[in-house]
Structures are given as structure tokens and as C-alpha cells.
Amino acid sequence: MPIEIRPVPVPATLGIPESVEFEAAAETAALVEESVWGHRKFAWDTYELLPRYNDETYHGMRAFAAWDGDRCVGRVECEWERADGAETVDLVLGVVPDARRSGVGTALLATARRLAADLGRPTLTTMSDVPASALDAPGERLEARDGSGSIPASDPAAAFAVHHGFRLAQLERVSGLTVEGRASAFAAASAEHESDPRGYRLVSWVDRAPDQLLDELAVAHAAMSTDPPAGTATFDEEAWDGARVRATEDEALDGRRTTLVTAAVSEVGRVAGYTELSLPSESASAFQWDTIVLKEHRGHRLGMRMKLANLALLGRVGPERTDVYTWNADENEHMLAINVALGFTVRGLSALWQLDAGAGSADSGATTGS
């Protein structure tokens, strides 16, 4: 029976006949994550995914699934920023192990490319992951222009990306921190750092930002889309205001995620930076999302202060959490140094791939070595 590619319908709710394909596509995504990492910690469940599709005010979302009869064997998720001037579509593409090397991934990619063309978006981006256990595979290596890490060219996802003309735009370090049993240590370290606040106070909250910080926080969110190291990747600038901050909070709550935020606030009430931890409801893990210190406020150790305070908050709000995971550009030496000082260790690398309009398969954008 030939493989059929078709759009994944977005149901009004879950657990009904109309949600079967949406739920099957999410399960396929989890199987792909498990095949790479050996666990499902990084997979989004259906309750987390559905709110992302329900509100397209700020970003568009479409998914397509590959079906072998009644079995979902692959899917591609397409997301794009709706801001003026945006030119990329970001993909999450995966095929279950026993269906690979049969054209399923190629067919899904072709479907996503047609969607991007219809949207007038010339650039596609996607990620692939290599766990630490596979990083030292023998043979040729692929290195991004910036940073010091490399991945094996033999990695199946990397080989797929290069074959289809994607170039390696950036490598991100995947790091993990064991937090189990360390709540008191984080609280003590945070208290020590706050004994001399040096002109900035920290404000922490759970799920919803204080009204008086909303507009300032929106400025910091907008900077998050352009300020971090980008390698040779194209990142669309995001338009943020207080309404988008609130919509993002609603999306997390609707997806049964708890969000912990600590912001640094200057003496005149400016948000100098913030850091976020996201806590899925059905997980023992937490995920470090945005951390940023705005350029004009750097040099005051705000990154370390904010992260310590948020880890102390995690110990109070989510004492059952065992680990925190984070992703950082391999060339982001300052943030990586903070993470190492906190005790994060390398769990793998994520490769950011970019396909530009008219690109062929000759240039991977990577340097190679053995």
C-alpha cells in the first residue's frame, strides 16, 4: 500500500473521534524522539500541542502526516512567524525507524516546501539531534562556522539534511542539570548573590507576569528573537507587546505547563532581562527556555542571579522535578559558562539546518574533518 501524505486535522478537543489523527501524529513524534534520545522527555504531548494550533494570532501552524494504511509513520510540523518581513518556515520532521530510507521523509519535506512556497517564504529551518553517546562516531565530522562543537557526518538526520540541500547554520549544546535534592543549595546560593543587588532587584512569578512589568517584558521578549548568537541562521524578528505576553502565558496554561519566571528590574523600572523555566504537567523534568540580559544591562552578573533565583523558585514550586534541560548556541560562551558553573553537563548537540531558496545539495555550510 502506498504511503499517503495528508494534513493533520486540528480537533476542538482531545479524546474524541475527530482527534484520532492529531493524537497519532503526536505519538509518532514521541516515537521519533525516543529513537534518538532513548526517552520521551523532549516530546510534546497532545495537551501541550493543541493550544499551539488553536491560536494563530502571532504564528501559523500546520502539520502533515504520512500514513501506511491506518498507521502514522511520519509527520512534519510547520511553524512560521506572522510579523511583517518574516521569511522563514520552521520544520519539525521525523519518521519512525522502521519506515526510514523509503522516501517518507523526502515526501514530507516536499509537502512542507510546497507550503512554504504558497506562503511566500523562501527559507526553511529545521533541527536534528545527536545524543552524547553518538557524538564520537568515527568518520567525517560536520562543524558549524561558529563554536567549537562538531557532529558525525554519518548521523542519519544530518545525512538527510545535507542530501536535501540544507546547510549547517549552527550547533546548540544540549545540557542537563540534576536538581533533585539541591533546593536548599540553590536557595542559599541565590540568597548570597542577593546580599549585594548592585542596582537591580529580582522579581519572580509563576505563570503570569505582574501587570506593571508587562510592556517592559514584551521589549525583552522581542530582543530574544534577535540578540542571541545566530551562527549563519536566519531568525525572523518577532513583534511583541503586552497582549502577546499574555497570549503566550495562556497557551502554556492551556497546555498544562507551569512557567516560572525571574526578571531583573533596574532602579527606574526597566526589565533588564529575564529567565524562564517550563514545567510540563506529566514530567519529572523542567526545561530552561528563554534567558536574556539586554545589551545595555550586561556586565552585572544578572544572568547568574536570575538563573539561581529561578532554580530556588523551582525548588519551592516543583520539588518533585529531578532534572533541568537547556539548549544554548555552541558559540554562546558567556551563557555556557554560567550553565557549567551551575553544574550543567553536556547531553548532546542539536544541529540547526537552513535551506535557502535555490539551494542545491552541493554546499552543506559545514566544514569537515576526520
Side-chain angles (χ1 to χ4, degrees), residues 326-368:
T326 189
W327 286 252
N328 298 97
D330 189 51
E331 66 268 28
N332 193 346
E333 296 180 359
H334 178 69
M335 195 60 67
L336 290 172
I338 293 174
N339 289 343
V340 170
L342 289 170
F344 280 89
T345 58
V346 177
R347 307 299 172 88
L349 289 175
S350 290
L352 174 60
W353 301 92
Q354 181 161 321
L355 180 63
D356 302 302
S361 58
D363 181 13
S364 68
T367 59
T368 58

Side-chain angles (χ1 to χ4, degrees), residues 3 28 68 75 91 109 164 201 233 248 254 261 300 303 361-362 366:
I3 299 294
T28 297
D68 183 0
R75 66 86 186 84
L91 312 180
L109 177 59
H164 287 283
R201 61 186 174 92
T248 302
D254 289 344
V261 184
H300 302 281
S361 58

Side-chain angles (χ1 to χ4, degrees), residues 91-158:
L91 312 180
V92 181
L93 191 155
V95 178
V96 296
D98 65 294
R100 292 171 187 166
R101 304 189 67 83
S102 62
V104 176
T106 298
L108 287 167
L109 177 59
T111 301
R113 293 187 72 169
R114 286 193 292 271
L115 173 65
D118 291 343
L119 292 169
R121 302 298 178 96
T123 301
L124 294 177
T125 59
T126 192
M127 302 288 292
S128 68
D129 298 321
V130 184
S133 59
L135 281 176
D136 294 330
E140 193 174 68
R141 312 289 299 179
L142 298 176
E143 302 170 354
R145 185 196 66 181
D146 300 326
S148 59
S150 66
I151 59 173
S154 59
D155 174 74

Side-chain angles (χ1 to χ4, degrees), residues 125-199:
T125 59
T126 192
M127 302 288 292
S128 68
D129 298 321
V130 184
S133 59
L135 281 176
D136 294 330
E140 193 174 68
R141 312 289 299 179
L142 298 176
E143 302 170 354
R145 185 196 66 181
D146 300 326
S148 59
S150 66
I151 59 173
S154 59
D155 174 74
F160 176 88
V162 171
H163 174 75
H164 287 283
F166 285 84
R167 58 181 178 83
L168 181 58
Q170 190 177 49
L171 288 174
E172 291 188 354
R173 188 184 302 182
V174 185
S175 304
L177 173 68
T178 299
V179 296
E180 189 173 21
R182 299 185 63 191
S184 60
F186 290 131
S190 179
E192 182 179 351
H193 277 72
E194 296 317 300
S195 64
D196 180 16
R198 296 181 295 278

